[in-house]
Amino acid sequence: MTSDVYAVPRELLDFRDAIRQIVAERVAPRAAEIDARGEYPWDVRELFAEHDILGLPFAEEFGGTGTGTLMLQMAVEEIARVCASSALILMVQELGTLPVALFGSEELRARLLPRCASGEWSPAFCLSEPEAGSDPAAMRTHAERDGDEWVINGTKNWITNAGVADFYVVFAITDRAERRLSAFVVEKDRPGLSIGKLEHKLGIRGSPTGSPVFEDVRVPPENLIGAEGKGLAVALGTLERTRLGAAAQAVGIAQGATDYALAYARERVAFGAPILDLQAIQFKLADMETGTAAARELLYKACALADRGDRLLAKYSSMAKLFASDNAMRVTVEAVQVLGGYGYVTEYPVERYMRDAKITQIYEGTNEIQRIVIARAMK
């Protein structure tokens, strides 16, 4: 891998630094409260909209920044360094709109994307179900034609932005005999759409996760995303890009935990000297920093492939997500250990980093699924 594979232009580095400053000043002081209260941070979303951060996933023609995948994921990383819940606001802005951007009609793109790029609207991506997570073929939600309209029935599960999204991208079986899926846009005010229970979670508590329920929800034919029966291709084409968001979030969490553990080790005195002088602590921090740097390199390489439309994207995005999330879990556990008893209490942020890190191994495709994707790409 050559050093110029993902050379970052100066203007993007400046944008990243501006985001870092905004996040440090406005999001970091709120992070513990967002986690403790488990409430969606509307003020943070407004802040991101105000500074064009929510425009990062979009092309200029739709009012976005047009700055590409690498810039988007650098922003996710910066936000996740202080608050993983807030990072999800940007992550789902891509996840819920990419199906429309990649596969939607011109009319659908013009109707939805500018309002998301401005931050006025936020989407949700509804693929998983109570008994259909890693296996979409087990999906029970179905859509049937009734005249010109589609009628959707079913329940989704583990849906980020449930209850706060302005529209939902919903995957449903439209050919029961062949088990073919189709994807639809369902606006939040459609009769028959309701939000079931919200989950009480280990981490990312400031991002609502719930179960949208569809009971005879009618949508017009223009709300179909892509071709009928091609919903699985829409889902997979989206996820091979958006799993980079989970990787970026994991890199940010790991870096935030490393930075905090290092600062603590400089200040904490034991046996008459800072614990940073102890080789046992030095070695932990060295491994934490190295693993996170390696995860970042893999992430940025995968982002460069996404920006170029390279055929190796699926393999590299899976590798980046797998490695970065496993590293985030290792690093955050070690950060808690560096802080000792203080690492175990909510007064210090490393226990939050550890709780938030776990989901990065699960969503956007479990790490077991990522290993399958990588292995298949090697054949």
Side-chain angles (χ1 to χ4, degrees):
M1 186 174 71
T2 58
S3 60
D4 63 349
V5 170
Y6 52 80
V8 185
R10 182 71 252 172
E11 60 268 24
L12 297 192
L13 292 175
D14 290 342
F15 196 177
R16 180 203 63 188
D17 292 344
I19 292 170
R20 181 177 295 175
Q21 183 176 352
I22 291 165
V23 168
E25 293 175 357
R26 303 284 297 278
V27 181
R30 290 268 288 115
E33 181 185 19
I34 289 168
D35 176 71
R37 291 190 175 184
E39 296 176 355
Y40 184 75
W42 290 98
D43 59 320
V44 173
R45 175 170 152 184
E46 290 169 8
L47 175 72
F48 290 170
E50 178 186 340
H51 291 278
D52 289 333
I53 295 171
L54 294 184
L56 284 167
F58 304 99
E60 289 182 90
E61 65 180 298
F62 300 114
T65 60
T67 43
T69 304
L70 179 55
M71 182 63 239
L72 168 64
Q73 305 309 351
M74 286 196 298
V76 170
E77 178 188 343
E78 290 301 323
I79 301 165
R81 281 176 72 170
V82 303
C83 181
S85 291
S86 295
L88 262 169
I89 296 173
L90 179 54
M91 291 163 62
V92 80
Q93 206 74 356
E94 181 194 27
L95 175 61
T97 59
L98 200 56
V100 176
L102 292 179
F103 301 97
S105 65
E106 290 293 333
E107 183 275 332
L108 206 53
R109 281 186 262 178
R111 173 157 44 110
L112 299 176
L113 300 187
R115 300 181 83 164
C116 291
S118 69
E120 178 189 355
W121 279 5
S122 190
F125 181 88
C126 301
L127 179 63
S128 295
E129 297 189 1
E131 297 182 21
S134 296
D135 179 14
M139 185 178 296
R140 295 183 180 179
T141 297
H142 59 275
E144 297 177 348
R145 289 182 184 273
D146 183 18
D148 286 340
E149 295 181 311
W150 288 95
V151 182
I152 303 173
N153 282 281
T155 299
K156 296 295 181 176
N157 209 18
W158 318 117
I159 305 305
T160 300
N161 260 14
V164 303
D166 295 278
F167 65 90
Y168 298 79
V169 171
V170 181
F171 294 84
I173 297 287
T174 49
D175 182 344
R176 297 197 191 203
E178 299 293 329
R179 303 298 297 170
R180 293 189 182 277
L181 318 179
S182 299
F184 301 89
V185 169
V186 179
E187 297 86 352
K188 69 176 181 180
D189 54 359
R190 292 272 171 192
L193 169 60
S194 60
I195 305 300
K197 69 181 180 73
L198 294 179
E199 306 293 347
H200 298 280
K201 299 171 301 195
L202 177 71
I204 56 166
R205 293 173 175 172
S207 177
T209 304
S211 302
V213 179
F214 304 88
E215 298 176 290
D216 293 328
V217 176
R218 291 179 171 269
V219 296
E222 55 266 27
N223 280 27
L224 177 69
I225 301 172
E228 179 183 342
K230 299 296 185 181
L232 186 59
V234 173
L236 296 178
T238 297
L239 292 171
E240 76 173 11
R241 288 175 172 268
T242 59
R243 70 174 65 111
L244 294 172
Q249 184 186 39
V251 171
I253 290 169
Q255 193 63 62
T258 300
D259 292 345
Y260 196 91
L262 175 61
Y264 178 88
R266 286 188 178 124
E267 299 295 326
R268 173 67 168 173
V269 173
F271 308 107
I275 62 171
L276 187 56
D277 290 351
L278 300 172
Q279 191 178 71
I281 301 299
Q282 292 172 358
F283 281 10
K284 284 185 187 298
L285 292 166
D287 287 343
M288 292 159 68
E289 184 82 347
T290 302
T292 303
R296 183 179 295 108
E297 294 293 310
L298 193 50
L299 168 66
Y300 287 13
K301 168 70 178 288
C303 289
L305 295 176
D307 284 331
R308 292 206 304 265
D310 196 290
R311 63 182 180 82
L312 292 174
L313 173 61
K315 176 184 176 182
Y316 271 84
S317 64
S318 286
M319 291 196 298
K321 194 270 187 187
L322 168 66
F323 187 84
S325 58
D326 280 354
N327 175 72
M329 201 67 240
R330 282 192 301 270
V331 165
T332 54
V333 168
E334 288 288 58
V336 170
Q337 194 69 19
V338 170
L339 268 70
Y342 291 111
Y344 202 69
V345 297
T346 58
E347 184 179 349
Y348 293 80
V350 290
E351 60 83 31
R352 169 166 51 86
Y353 284 122
M354 185 179 74
R355 289 187 286 105
D356 289 343
K358 185 59 197 174
I359 192 61
T360 66
Q361 296 178 305
I362 299 171
Y363 63 14
E364 294 285 339
T366 66
N367 282 6
E368 289 74 19
I369 292 295
Q370 304 313 322
R371 288 180 170 93
I372 292 172
V373 172
I374 296 161
R376 285 177 177 169
M378 295 169 66
K379 289 183 178 179

